[in-house]
Amino acid sequence: AVRLNPKLADSYTNLAVMYLLKNRIELAKDCCLKAIELDPNGCEAHFNLNNALRQLGRKEEAIDHVWNQVAKLAGAAFIRPQIIQCNKGAIPKHGGAVEHISVVCVKWGTKYGPEYVNKLYRGVRKHLSLPFTFYCYTEDPTGLDDPINIRSLVSGWTGWWGKASLFSTEKSQLTGRVMYIDLDTVITGSLDDIVQYQGQLAILGTDNFACETASGGYNSSVLLWEAGFAESIFDVLQSSFSHISRFIVRYDHWLEMMVQDADIVQDVFPDQVVEYKHDCTDNLPPSARIVCFPRDPKPH
C-alpha cells in the first residue's frame, strides 16, 4: 500500500503496527513519524509512536512528543504542567503504624463482571487483618456484594481513565492511606506488610511483566498512596482530557507523564507481587501475596 500510494498516512500507520508485532521497533518508529507528517491528526500513529519510543528506551522523548502535540491543540495559553516529583526519603516506605486503609477498584463497561469485584473483595477480606473499607468505582453496581461501598465514576470517561479520579479527594471522597488493585488480580497471601507502606506513591514497574513491551515504566495494576497526594493527576487530565486522550491510549503512560520517581512496589516489597506468566508457570512462589495477570489468560 505504501508503494501504491506513498502519501497515504494510514498505510504507514498499518505498516508501523506490523513492524511493532515483528519487534522491528526502529522501523515502526520511522513509519509512525511519516504517518504523522502526512496526517498530524491520526490518533493511532501517535499511540504507536508512544509505544515504539518506550520500547527503544526513549520514554522522555515519548512524553515530550505528547506534551508538544497537546500544546499545539490547546493554543498559546497552554502551560505544560509541573511534574509531580516524589520524594522517596521523605517518610518511611513501610513498617509504620497504618491503622486503617481504603482498598479500591474500578469496574467500567462489561469486560469484567461483578464476580471479579466480589472475588477481589473476598480475597482482601481473607488476607488483610488491618481494618479496611472496600470501594468500587463503577457506572453499574449491579451484582456487587453488600459490604462493598459503591462510588460513581467520572461521567464521559471510558476505559481505565476513571482511575485518575481516585487521586481527586473531591471526586473520590477518599481519606488516609489508599490501596488500588486491578480486577484481574488474585490475592494469594497476607497483605498486612504491603498496606503498611507509608511513602507518597508506590506503583508496579513494567519489568518482567509479560504484557509489557517496555522496561522502566509504570504499571498501575497496584497502587498505594496517601489520599490528597498528586491531585494534579486528575486535575490536569480533566482540564485537557479531549486533547490528551487524542495522543495516548494508556492510563499508565499518563502517570509516566505526570509522576517522576514513584516507589516501585516490587522494589519495596520484593517477591510479594508477581506476574502470572513470568513467575507462576510451574508453581505459585511461596512469598507471593498478589498475582497480576496479563491480557491473556485471565483469572477466575
Side-chain angles (χ1 to χ4, degrees):
V2 169
R3 292 175 181 173
L4 292 174
N5 191 347
K7 293 189 177 182
L8 183 63
D10 285 348
S11 298
Y12 288 96
T13 298
N14 294 335
L15 187 59
V17 172
M18 184 194 73
Y19 282 138
L20 284 170
L21 292 172
K22 292 182 176 295
N23 203 33
R24 301 177 70 178
I25 311 304
E26 192 71 40
L27 289 173
K29 181 263 297 179
D30 291 341
C31 287
C32 291
L33 291 173
K34 184 63 177 180
I36 292 168
E37 176 189 330
L38 294 170
D39 179 13
N41 297 318
C43 295
E44 188 175 353
H46 291 285
F47 298 158
N48 292 331
L49 180 62
N50 265 291
N51 290 328
L53 288 173
R54 281 174 167 81
Q55 290 184 54
L56 291 169
R58 294 156 61 177
K59 180 176 70 175
E60 295 305 317
E61 186 177 340
I63 291 171
D64 287 340
H65 171 79
V66 173
W67 282 128
N68 290 337
Q69 300 307 310
V70 171
K72 289 177 183 178
L73 287 181
F78 177 80
I79 299 175
R80 180 167 171 170
Q82 184 175 0
I83 198 167
I84 301 162
Q85 177 63 57
C86 295
N87 188 347
K88 295 185 177 183
I91 47 181
K93 296 184 179 68
H94 60 87
V98 174
E99 297 179 351
H100 177 274
I101 192 163
S102 296
V103 181
V104 301
C105 66
V106 170
K107 183 180 82 72
W108 178 87
T110 59
K111 183 176 182 179
Y112 299 102
E115 67 277 7
Y116 274 80
V117 181
N118 295 334
K119 289 179 180 180
L120 180 61
Y121 165 72
R122 294 166 194 165
V124 172
R125 183 181 61 188
K126 179 179 179 180
H127 293 292
L128 180 58
S129 64
L130 188 78
F132 72 95
T133 306
F134 193 96
Y135 297 95
C136 177
Y137 291 77
T138 181
E139 85 288 7
D140 181 11
T142 304
L144 299 185
D145 288 350
D146 288 338
I148 297 172
N149 293 272
I150 310 301
R151 296 280 172 83
S152 297
L153 286 168
V154 175
S155 178
W157 288 11
T158 60
W160 302 114
W161 287 112
K163 283 181 170 182
S165 64
L166 301 177
F167 286 92
S168 167
T169 52
E170 178 185 353
K171 298 292 184 182
S172 70
Q173 302 177 42
L174 293 169
T175 59
R177 302 304 303 184
V178 183
M179 181 178 190
Y180 169 85
I181 308 174
D182 261 355
L183 293 180
D184 56 345
T185 303
V186 176
I187 312 300
T188 59
S190 174
L191 300 175
D192 288 352
D193 188 26
I194 295 176
V195 299
Q196 288 300 323
Y197 171 82
Q198 291 187 71
Q200 293 172 315
L201 175 63
I203 186 171
L204 293 177
T206 57
D207 295 13
N208 299 325
F209 267 49
C211 64
E212 298 287 0
T213 55
S215 61
Y218 291 156
N219 179 301
S220 62
S221 296
V222 175
L223 293 158
L224 298 111
W225 74 99
E226 176 76 21
F229 177 73
E231 289 198 279
S232 58
I233 289 173
F234 171 78
D235 294 339
V236 175
L237 184 62
Q238 183 183 46
S239 66
S240 301
F241 181 77
S242 62
H243 299 330
I244 293 165
S245 59
R246 287 179 61 86
F247 303 109
I248 58 171
V249 70
R250 291 191 59 185
Y251 172 68
D252 295 350
H253 289 175
W254 173 242
L255 291 178
E256 291 175 6
M257 290 174 62
M258 290 296 298
V259 180
Q260 190 168 1
D261 292 332
D263 283 316
I264 300 302
V265 174
Q266 298 99 312
D267 295 338
V268 182
F269 304 101
D271 304 320
Q272 293 198 38
V273 181
V274 299
E275 202 266 355
Y276 179 76
K277 275 192 174 180
H278 184 268
D279 301 301
C280 306
T281 53
D282 296 321
N283 296 292
L284 179 70
S287 59
R289 305 291 182 263
I290 299 174
V291 179
C292 299
F293 279 73
R295 294 183 181 92
D296 181 64
K298 290 299 183 187
H300 311 141

